[in-house]
Amino acid sequence: MPEQPYTTVIGLEVHVQLATQSKLFCRCSTQFGAEPNTQTCPVCTGLPGTLPVMNAHAFELSLQTAIALNCDIPGFTKWDRKQYYYPDLPKGYQISQFDLPMSDDGYLEIADPKDRFEPKRVRILRAHLEEDAGKSVHDEAAGKADSEIDLNRTGTPLLEIVSEPDMRSSLEARAFLQELKLLLTYIGVSDCNMQEGSLRVDANVNLHLEKDSEKVATPIVEIKNMNSFRAVERAIDYEAKRQYDEWQETGRRLGESPKQTRGWDDAAGVTRGQRSKEESSDYRYFPDPDLMPVTTTAEQVEAVRAALPELPAGLRQRLGDDYSLGHYDADVLVNQGRPVVDYYLTAADASGDPKLTCNWVTQEVLRELKDKEITIEQFGVSAERLAGLVKGIDSGAIPGPRGREVFTTMLADDCDAQEATSKLGIEQVDESELVALCQKLVDANPKIVADVKAGKQQAVGALIGQAKAQNPNVDPGRVREICLELAQQS
Amino acid sequence: MSLLDRSACQLLADLKAGEISSVELTQASLDRIEAADEKVGAFLQQSGRAALAAAEQIDVRRAAGEQLGILAGLPVAVKDVLCDSTTTTTCASKMLANFRPPYDSTVVAKLRSADAVLVGRTNMDEFAMGGSTENSAVQLTRNPWDLQRAPGGSSGGAAACVAAGMVPLSIGTDTGGSIRQPAGLCGVVGMKPTYGRVSRYGLVAFASSLDQVGPLARTAEDVALLLEAIAGHDPRDSTSLEEATPAYSQSVSKPLENMRIGVVKEQFATGLNSEVETAVRDAIAVYESLGATVKEVELPHSKYGVAAYYVIAPSEASSNLARYDGAHYGHRTDQAEMMAELEAERKQLSESGDQRGLDNLDTPLIRMYRRSRAEGFGPEVKRRIMLGTYALSAGYYDAYYLKALKVRRLIRQDYDKAFEDVDLIAGPVTASPAFKLGEMVDDPLAMYLVDLYTVSANLAGLPGLSMPCGFSEAGLPIGLQLQAPPLKEQRLLKAAHMYQQTTDWHTRRPPET
């Protein structure tokens, strides 16, 4: 990357929809995609007289996430009302957490297997639980000015995770989001589907630069409306350049203009300022008198911690320590999600050759999954059968170069490695038989022998081709070695 | 003597004995409403036909020997702030004039399952904000003892309909005294239970941390009966207490022994009407004659109660009432008129070249909110929304809301300390008997001070009861307030019953209606 005259400083706010069956304060379903306003009740539509009752499961999922993010869990947390008017917010306030969030002060470690940035710890300022608002559907058809409101989403539990401004490039921001998504997927607290809004990202971006050897920061801009990790990356890159241009033009520093909110236009590839009138909000937070504070004991925190599944960072470490995998391989496997890792672990344990198993999984198996757009659970070769293939190759029963044929047959015929091998007529070629075959070829090809002797070793390739034609089970590498040796001797 | 001169407990016995039917009783109640309510104005709505049908059902079931609920066949009035899916719930506000909730409040559901006959919805100050019922957007309610005077509020209709003998039982709500004060001014018994004793689910919120539903009737026994029907833990209300409901109607008649009554000196200081003071002191003397010892106690922070209350209650109200924005239900401004107004403003601004004005012109959505709320809410509701919005605003929160919460905690601590030495605290409900209608409408601050003796119990979450303990020379009822530690409703009821066994104030009936 070219050296820039500024450092981009990035903090992220991630809203994660928790995978509960029902909403945060009522029992309506959280299922995505239902007919508008069919998953509502008097409570989530904010009818007069209704009261919220906390969904304990949502709090449990939040605890799991916060603990996995190395956050502190205070013994006491409460609910606050964040007040603003909007038609998709039927109570006129959102139940959220203001000054005493359910967790704070954590971190998430990110690294780049391609070493484009140094591994780093991104601090988590806080993670708090809140209810989602509904959805406004603006009808922009000509002549129509009606907006419609869908309250199905109203009251869905969201965990808002706020990072410190610890990221210094869009690449780091993307790595943070990918690692966070992976972590959430491993714990199973969210489906993290960005298209369905299960994962929403806002980015706070500004620049640090130097002017007359004085360190200067530009005003912070919050970017909204980014619908993919790729969009986050592009928006940050765009915004950094835009802020640099603006800085050169205006020289305006942090604190000299109010925090601005800009929306990302993915099609146009630009951020656009939103009306300043909508930003200057005083949310008049105060504790929600309808809900009791939630207390959590150290024992409860420990119990949740103990019940957490193995997390991606620990798993990468284990794959390195116990399976001798390099960072890159471990990363590829872990990033595929727990089921692929489990598949690998089963196959590696059964084959006894973790490295070769890893090659097979990360190359052939993952290619199949990608080509056929299936999950590992739907994949036709079981981990045990893959281990059989690896073992066959290791023992020499399956010549390495024919492994892929065996694999394809296993997949096509739904059989194990042994059956595939015999179907393909693969037999181990006896060493003396191989030498005899090579001798015969050397004797029959004096021209090639002469070329080899003259130093043109690549001439031996023609003999390998002939050997394979006569017996497909021969190991080409071995044929090459023997033929070279015999040619020199003749 | 009318059927309705009997107590609810007596009527229940008569119903069980088959001496009267629920249809007869309900008809008597409806007749009385018909005859007297034109003058009193206690009801916003009566459900005559539905009530008679319900009564008939109960009579049929009783005849069939079915097990019936504890209020079986008794007419009950409900303050128009508790949701009932069979009718409108208006909170006496233009904002909710046509609002039909699609669900029942827990209290209404409990009344139904106790086989009460719901005869109508009573008038109140709009959204329960007020102390005279004059803030109703619909009608005035008059005090049955003097039709030129206010019944108190905000549960003015709830107290007046009992005082006028229209129903034996009535449900009110009390946020700063809204049951006890009108009960006191109308000469009936009213109780605000411990915060959390009765479910708030379906009670249209005014100030969530203070609101509590409670019973009104003419006797402590009747109040006990009605409280037993509505109290209890509700999983739909997170602030509802997980406490078993005592059999109030059974225990009310067991007298208290070695009763220790606390008296707060400041409550008898300047500002208290002398007739009220005399009546209250006489009532305390009655308790002494029944064996109680009287002790002076201190509630040093109660003098800040009204100030704290008028920060906390409006703050919560400003938030609770944000939902009435015209977008989803309730009053919405006329769209054509609104668009015409906006267009006229736009034209004017553009002609005068006021670009800034044009930039700041409301969007149709904002204008819809503004107009709907301006049209739908009355002046007192607006006043409190503004007070509360101000108190919660950035930069003021600590000085107002947080400070008020600290006062609130100190008031509770005062009570906890006082109740180490006494079982009950006795004192006045209001500084004077019922005031004239219109007397204070232009002086909101004077009206706020009417809550002086009652708000502390709400701030502290304690139960309090008001009952008649005498009459002024002008013939207006005077109330005695009893307060007890949290969850000690039984103690209040027993003490009130003991008093009513010895005195006959509660048997007096208003002359005019």
Side-chain angles (χ1 to χ4, degrees):
Chain A
M1 215 177 270
E3 205 45 42
Q4 288 153 337
Y6 54 81
T7 308
T8 313
V9 178
I10 305 154
L12 295 174
E13 287 177 24
V14 184
H15 285 85
V16 179
Q17 185 182 322
L18 297 174
T20 52
Q21 296 292 307
S22 56
K23 294 184 180 181
L24 186 50
F25 297 113
C26 66
R27 308 186 78 165
C28 288
S29 168
T30 54
Q31 190 76 40
F32 179 82
E35 281 292 301
N37 298 308
T38 55
Q39 289 173 174
T40 57
C41 73
V43 176
C44 58
T45 54
L47 291 189
T50 56
L51 296 170
V53 176
M54 185 189 79
N55 177 342
H57 186 53
F59 194 79
E60 171 83 17
L61 295 182
S62 306
L63 268 186
Q64 289 174 13
T65 310
I67 291 169
L69 287 169
N70 308 291
C71 288
D72 292 340
I73 309 297
F76 176 95
T77 185
K78 68 177 171 71
W79 302 98
D80 300 285
R81 293 182 180 178
K82 178 182 180 176
Q83 312 194 66
Y84 63 94
Y85 283 93
Y86 206 70
D88 62 18
L89 190 73
K91 295 192 297 297
Y93 58 84
Q94 175 195 30
I95 305 176
S96 180
Q97 300 195 284
F98 181 50
D99 55 338
L100 297 172
M102 52 81 54
S103 69
D104 58 15
D105 198 15
Y107 63 86
L108 181 65
E109 279 169 345
I110 57 169
D112 182 21
K114 293 181 186 153
D115 290 325
R116 287 167 300 180
F117 62 84
E118 291 290 307
K120 66 156 57 174
R121 184 173 275 201
V122 176
R123 290 169 299 153
I124 306 289
L125 177 66
R126 57 186 279 164
H128 73 253
L129 193 50
E130 63 186 25
E131 58 175 354
D132 205 348
K135 209 166 72 181
S136 298
V137 187
H138 302 293
D139 190 341
E140 272 147 29
K144 280 184 123 183
D146 282 355
S147 291
E148 294 180 321
I149 309 293
D150 178 4
L151 297 180
N152 281 353
R153 207 177 65 184
T154 312
T156 296
L158 293 180
L159 187 67
E160 180 176 336
I161 300 166
V162 184
S163 88
E164 295 278 7
D166 285 352
M167 287 151 282
R168 294 291 174 269
S169 68
S170 59
L171 208 59
E172 290 184 9
R174 187 178 180 145
F176 174 83
L177 292 170
Q178 279 169 335
E179 186 65 8
L180 178 65
K181 180 178 171 180
L182 196 64
L183 181 84
L184 297 167
T185 316
Y186 267 69
I187 330 174
V189 293
S190 174
D191 66 16
C192 295
N193 187 326
M194 274 187 103
Q195 270 65 49
E196 293 179 4
S198 303
L199 193 78
R200 281 169 252 164
V201 183
D202 299 334
N204 284 294
V205 177
N206 75 339
L207 307 179
H208 285 183
L209 28 75
E210 261 185 43
K211 185 182 163 52
D212 309 331
S213 68
E214 185 199 356
K215 284 186 167 42
V216 180
T218 60
I220 297 172
V221 169
E222 181 172 2
I223 318 174
K224 290 184 174 293
N225 195 33
M226 298 171 290
N227 293 319
S228 67
F229 290 173
R230 176 85 191 111
V232 173
E233 217 177 335
R234 290 175 65 211
I236 290 172
D237 286 339
Y238 173 85
E239 186 57 24
K241 286 193 197 79
R242 192 198 64 78
Q243 286 186 25
Y244 187 65
D245 291 346
E246 189 175 84
W247 153 258
Q248 287 185 310
E249 201 178 303
T250 67
R252 211 176 285 144
R253 305 179 182 199
L254 182 63
E256 290 176 358
S257 59
K259 183 174 159 179
Q260 200 193 356
T261 303
R262 299 180 69 88
W264 172 245
D265 180 337
D266 204 57
V270 298
T271 62
R272 296 185 207 279
Q274 297 182 345
R275 278 179 72 186
S276 59
K277 212 174 162 185
E278 289 169 27
E279 298 157 26
S280 51
S281 307
D282 174 1
Y283 291 119
R284 286 177 285 113
Y285 280 102
F286 82 109
D288 192 326
D290 288 332
L291 286 159
M292 302 305 280
V294 185
T295 54
T296 311
T297 64
E299 290 73 29
Q300 283 171 301
V301 172
E302 280 323 303
V304 171
R305 196 190 306 279
L308 277 181
E310 191 172 19
L311 302 176
L315 198 49
R316 286 193 196 95
Q317 184 75 36
R318 180 153 76 94
L319 289 173
D321 293 349
D322 299 354
Y323 291 82
S324 309
L325 298 187
H327 287 312
Y328 186 84
D329 283 340
D331 203 58
V332 169
L333 283 175
V334 170
N335 292 355
Q336 292 299 317
R338 186 73 211 199
V340 167
V341 175
D342 285 336
Y343 180 91
Y344 166 75
L345 292 173
T346 308
D349 290 343
S351 73
D353 186 344
K355 179 66 194 156
L356 187 58
T357 307
C358 177
N359 291 346
W360 276 94
V361 173
T362 56
Q363 289 161 32
E364 303 304 325
V365 176
L366 292 185
R367 183 180 16 241
E368 282 293 325
L369 299 187
K370 199 173 166 213
D371 288 352
K372 301 210 171 107
E373 292 179 341
I374 55 173
T375 65
I376 192 73
E377 290 90 342
Q378 296 164 306
F379 181 57
V381 176
S382 70
E384 289 75 12
R385 282 182 173 174
L386 186 78
L389 174 64
V390 172
K391 275 205 281 197
I393 294 169
D394 275 341
S395 71
I398 301 168
R402 300 201 67 186
R404 185 135 196 256
E405 268 177 83
V406 177
F407 178 76
T408 309
T409 306
M410 288 165 72
L411 198 55
D413 295 359
D414 189 18
C415 61
D416 63 15
Q418 211 175 357
E419 200 181 326
T421 307
S422 67
K423 276 190 182 178
L424 290 168
I426 296 175
E427 288 165 25
Q428 210 164 356
V429 183
D430 185 79
E431 182 73 4
S432 59
E433 200 181 315
L434 190 61
V435 173
L437 174 65
C438 291
Q439 188 64 61
K440 205 170 86 187
L441 292 172
V442 167
D443 294 346
N445 292 285
K447 169 90 174 64
I448 290 173
V449 172
D451 285 350
V452 169
K453 280 188 162 172
K456 282 178 73 185
Q457 294 215 341
Q458 67 272 32
V460 84
L463 299 184
I464 300 172
Q466 290 185 38
K468 277 168 81 179
Q470 294 194 21
N471 183 348
N473 292 321
V474 296
D475 176 349
R478 190 76 191 112
V479 170
R480 179 185 157 85
E481 280 169 30
I482 298 170
C483 287
L484 282 175
E485 201 179 317
L486 292 174
Q488 293 295 348
Q489 287 166 6
S490 70
Chain B
M1 189 166 135
S2 156
L3 267 185
L4 290 154
D5 283 326
R6 303 178 199 170
S7 73
C9 290
Q10 182 59 51
L11 289 167
L12 201 58
D14 295 344
L15 284 162
K16 280 182 186 161
E19 286 172 22
I20 55 170
S21 72
S22 180
V23 169
E24 265 175 85
L25 176 57
T26 303
Q27 190 59 61
S29 172
L30 295 172
D31 290 347
R32 177 79 184 129
I33 294 169
E34 173 79 35
D37 206 41
E38 205 173 307
K39 280 179 274 174
V40 177
F43 283 90
L44 290 176
Q45 201 193 128
Q46 336 156 14
S47 21
R49 200 176 303 170
L52 285 169
E56 196 178 339
Q57 276 293 312
I58 291 161
D59 286 338
V60 167
R61 286 167 54 208
R62 194 189 301 279
E66 270 184 49
Q67 181 77 33
L68 298 174
I70 68 165
L71 300 177
L74 294 176
V76 179
V78 176
K79 186 176 178 179
D80 202 19
V81 70
L82 285 150
C83 289
D84 179 337
S85 59
T86 66
T87 179
T88 54
T89 296
T90 72
C91 300
S93 177
K94 199 181 161 195
M95 184 59 88
L96 292 178
N98 298 310
F99 177 66
R100 286 184 79 98
Y103 74 102
D104 282 337
S105 56
T106 298
V107 166
V108 164
K110 276 179 169 270
L111 290 171
R112 287 224 171 82
S113 69
D115 292 318
V117 175
L118 305 184
V119 293
R121 315 273 300 170
T122 57
N123 195 21
M124 56 188 279
D125 285 299
E126 183 180 5
F127 284 102
M129 297 178 189
S132 68
T133 313
E134 290 164 292
N135 295 330
S136 166
V138 187
Q139 66 193 34
L140 279 181
T141 296
R142 296 170 183 276
N143 192 317
W145 292 91
D146 177 351
L147 296 174
Q148 298 314 307
R149 291 180 185 268
S154 66
S155 308
C161 69
V162 173
M166 301 177 194
V167 285
L169 301 170
S170 166
I171 297 285
T173 63
D174 189 317
T175 304
S178 283
I179 289 174
R180 290 161 291 157
Q181 185 255 26
L185 300 185
C186 289
V188 301
V189 187
M191 181 198 264
K192 180 200 95 72
T194 309
Y195 183 76
R197 179 65 100 177
V198 179
S199 170
R200 292 187 298 115
Y201 188 78
L203 158 62
V204 179
F206 158 20
S208 313
S209 75
L210 300 159
D211 293 342
Q212 187 59 202
V213 186
L216 296 100
R218 278 194 306 250
T219 69
E221 279 185 303
D222 289 359
V223 163
L225 177 71
L226 188 53
L227 178 62
E228 189 173 322
I230 62 172
H233 176 65
D234 181 3
R236 286 185 297 186
D237 175 359
S238 308
T239 61
S240 153
L241 298 168
E242 289 195 55
E243 293 284 337
T245 306
Y248 299 113
S249 59
Q250 305 299 308
S251 60
V252 61
S253 52
K254 296 193 189 98
L256 291 165
E257 282 169 29
N258 307 319
M259 208 192 319
R260 298 169 304 164
I261 291 184
V263 173
V264 184
K265 202 168 90 183
E266 290 81 1
Q267 293 191 347
F268 294 89
T270 36
L272 185 66
N273 170 295
S274 63
E275 286 182 297
V276 174
E277 176 168 0
T278 306
V280 170
R281 288 201 188 279
D282 287 352
I284 294 167
V286 169
Y287 278 112
E288 281 183 295
S289 76
L290 292 170
T293 52
V294 176
K295 197 178 169 223
E296 205 166 89
V297 293
E298 284 183 16
L299 296 174
H301 295 95
S302 281
K303 57 177 174 288
Y304 305 118
V306 171
Y309 176 84
Y310 277 99
V311 171
I312 294 170
S315 293
E316 294 183 9
S318 72
S319 175
N320 285 330
L321 273 66
R323 71 192 63 199
Y324 308 113
D325 58 9
H328 299 269
Y329 50 80
H331 175 75
R332 181 189 293 181
T333 194
D334 183 87
Q335 189 178 342
E337 232 175 68
M338 178 190 89
M339 293 310 282
E341 179 187 76
L342 268 179
E343 199 38 58
E345 283 174 36
R346 191 189 318 279
K347 202 170 152 223
Q348 200 205 335
L349 289 164
S350 122
E351 278 167 7
S352 63
D354 185 348
Q355 189 53 44
R356 204 188 154 128
L358 280 171
D359 288 346
N360 287 325
L361 189 62
D362 288 343
T363 60
L365 174 67
I366 300 290
R367 184 57 60 91
M368 187 278 281
Y369 285 157
R370 288 191 170 184
R371 284 177 55 114
S372 299
R373 287 170 70 80
E375 294 161 2
F377 290 138
E380 182 59 29
V381 172
K382 286 176 187 164
R383 187 175 295 124
R384 296 200 192 190
I385 289 173
M386 286 189 278
L387 278 173
T389 303
Y390 181 81
L392 291 178
S393 294
Y396 300 98
Y397 180 87
D398 289 4
Y400 293 101
Y401 189 72
L402 218 54
K403 188 76 145 198
L405 288 189
K406 284 177 187 160
V407 171
R408 183 176 190 174
R409 199 153 43 236
L410 292 171
I411 288 174
R412 172 61 185 261
Q413 284 168 6
D414 287 350
Y415 273 110
D416 289 346
K417 191 155 178 292
F419 283 124
E420 286 173 8
D421 298 327
V422 297
D423 302 314
L424 296 167
I425 293 172
V429 185
T430 55
S432 357
F435 45 90
K436 286 221 165 83
L437 286 164
E439 193 177 317
M440 283 191 271
V441 284
D442 294 327
D443 190 352
L445 205 56
M447 188 65 98
Y448 290 178
L449 287 169
V450 166
D451 297 333
L452 184 64
Y453 301 111
T454 48
V455 287
S456 291
N458 298 81
L459 290 167
L462 311 172
L465 177 144
S466 160
M467 64 176 164
C469 70
F471 285 82
S472 70
E473 247 174 66
L476 297 170
I478 293 169
L480 174 74
Q481 179 176 222
L482 299 175
Q483 292 173 298
L487 297 169
K488 300 299 182 192
E489 288 86 355
Q490 282 193 99
R491 198 181 283 169
L492 289 178
L493 292 165
K494 286 175 181 178
H497 181 68
M498 285 166 74
Y499 181 81
Q500 293 192 323
Q501 292 295 99
T502 321
T503 58
D504 65 356
W505 308 112
H506 62 286
T507 63
R508 306 222 183 158
R509 297 292 177 263
E512 291 196 38
T513 51

